[in-house]
Amino acid sequence: MSDLDLKAILDFTVALAYDAGKLIIEGSEAILQPASVVDTKKNTVDLVTEYDVRVEELVKEKLGEKYPSFQFIGEESYAAGARPEWTDEPTWCVDPIDGTTNFVHGFPMVALSIALLVERRSVLGIIYNPFLETMYTGIKDGGSYVTKGGPEGVRRKLPFANPAQPLPSLSKAQLAVEWGFDRRIPPLAARAESFHRLVSDAANGIHKARMAHSLRSLGTSAMNFVYVAQGAFDMEIGPWPWDVAAGVIIAQEAGGLVTGSHEVFDSSKDTITFGEVGEEILTSRKYLVIRPIGDSENETGRETQKRIISEFYETVIDYDTV
């Protein structure tokens, strides 16, 4: 990775994202017209539009022209049957419109997510919401930032709180969760019961109740991740690599911690590689990110992150993904 100029790559990618954002805005107007077409993938809530495809094609073309030796993984090309092998070579991982359901309904929680992976780990990420004119960026060992108001807008380092605020327990947390497109009874019931436990009061006799401050469902894992990095959310769980690959490096560079499933967490939490997110976690479809947490009198911030992740996994019900 030493021969890659990540700052120059980031500058190019940010400029490309601003251009692609114009196409997303154009699409948001077109998609609300009566003649617009919305297709489905795995079921009727797993949506795709022509603008998902067009934005990915634009991003892939421009990245390929500038960096022809880099590999490319994209949500829509993957859905269409492209299954590139994961390698250690520089690889783009792109979600052209994260939050397609929001996009179709005119809800402005929509983001373009572009990550660069090297040796199967995120080293650069941008997440751009063109409706809010908000650009989140992060590069390995370079910190993470948010810029609001376009290319000439105000740039601010993440997280907003400095030093990071403490988080005593899961009961004090604001959590980002999603219902997902898998509406089979077993996973749907597991999610519903997990959400019930997270927000319920133990005084009402609810098993494993945590009474968290709130649950939020924005419909986009990319935006959930950057809000965790920012400090607006305390935790988030996510589904596909292109949804989270950019968010991983943005959260990590802000001091957040990313891990995998309950099993991965338990097996790695006491190892020197804990917190590293490689292919095994990125392709597992089970991730958890927790915001930066300040030290307290009794714990370091990292110890608190581990403890609260343990609380979370002791509370929720696991299920198999499809």
Side-chain angles (χ1 to χ4, degrees):
M1 191 178 74
S2 58
D3 60 339
L4 293 179
D5 186 344
L6 291 181
K7 179 61 169 60
I9 296 173
L10 180 67
D11 290 344
F12 177 83
T13 310
V14 165
L16 173 57
Y18 280 124
D19 285 342
K22 297 174 185 176
L23 182 57
I24 294 173
I25 295 294
E26 173 192 315
S28 71
E29 297 295 328
I31 204 68
L32 296 177
Q33 302 307 310
S36 66
V37 176
V38 178
D39 293 320
T40 60
K41 291 184 276 191
K42 291 189 175 181
N43 60 27
T44 57
V45 297
D46 189 13
L47 306 181
V48 62
T49 73
E50 67 170 291
Y51 284 90
D52 292 81
V53 177
R54 287 178 59 183
V55 172
E56 182 170 313
E57 289 176 343
L58 170 66
V59 170
K60 183 177 181 179
E61 176 186 356
K62 297 302 182 181
L63 291 176
E65 290 173 354
K66 183 69 173 178
Y67 304 102
S69 65
F70 290 13
Q71 305 300 306
F72 184 91
I73 299 170
E75 178 181 13
E76 304 313 327
S77 49
Y78 183 93
R83 298 291 192 274
E85 289 187 12
W86 285 63
T87 72
D88 289 344
E89 296 303 311
T91 302
W92 298 107
C93 191
V94 174
D95 189 340
I97 299 180
D98 187 48
T100 299
T101 301
N102 292 341
F103 178 71
V104 167
H105 287 273
F107 183 62
M109 279 297 161
V110 173
L112 164 63
S113 176
I114 304 176
L116 179 62
L117 311 178
V118 176
E119 296 179 350
R120 312 181 195 214
R121 287 169 170 76
S122 298
V123 298
L124 175 153
I126 72 98
I127 292 174
Y128 178 49
N129 183 326
F131 298 97
L132 303 182
E133 290 191 289
T134 306
M135 175 77 72
Y136 291 86
T137 64
I139 56 175
K140 181 69 175 175
D141 299 325
S144 52
Y145 297 83
V146 59
T147 302
K148 297 185 177 182
E152 304 304 319
V154 177
R155 186 170 180 254
R156 187 173 179 183
K157 197 174 191 315
L158 300 179
F160 285 175
N162 185 19
Q165 295 179 329
L167 184 62
S169 69
L170 198 57
S171 66
K172 303 297 184 183
Q174 175 161 264
L175 309 174
V177 299
E178 298 295 341
W179 287 99
F181 66 80
D182 186 354
R183 304 299 171 85
R184 296 172 302 144
I185 293 298
L188 196 61
R191 285 194 291 270
E193 176 59 23
S194 296
F195 299 166
H196 188 202
R197 293 177 181 179
L198 288 168
V199 298
S200 292
D201 186 350
N204 294 329
I206 304 300
H207 181 57
K208 297 185 177 180
R210 295 293 183 178
M211 204 170 178
H213 277 181
S214 63
L215 303 183
R216 295 288 182 262
S217 184
L218 297 183
T220 156
S221 287
M223 291 302 297
N224 287 340
F225 256 71
V226 294
Y227 282 143
V228 171
Q230 179 176 304
F233 287 159
D234 297 297
M235 295 176 71
E236 202 272 341
I237 51 177
W240 290 95
W242 42 77
D243 295 319
V244 301
V248 164
I249 188 65
I250 294 170
Q252 288 174 329
E253 286 297 314
L257 174 64
V258 184
T259 187
S261 66
H262 192 177
E263 180 181 359
V264 169
F265 171 70
D266 279 344
S267 65
S268 65
K269 63 183 179 181
D270 296 320
T271 70
I272 60 172
T273 60
F274 179 65
E276 294 184 10
V277 180
E279 180 184 2
E280 178 185 3
I281 292 178
L282 282 175
T283 58
S284 71
R285 299 199 47 224
K286 293 183 179 181
Y287 330 98
L288 185 150
V289 57
I290 186 168
R291 71 164 171 84
I293 297 176
D295 295 342
S296 66
E297 291 184 4
N298 301 318
E299 288 180 313
T300 65
R302 178 53 61 94
E303 288 170 341
T304 305
Q305 288 172 323
K306 288 183 179 181
R307 176 173 56 78
I308 292 177
I309 292 172
S310 293
E311 286 183 28
F312 178 85
Y313 277 133
E314 289 166 3
T315 305
V316 301
I317 301 172
D318 203 358
Y319 60 89
D320 293 330
T321 57
V322 295

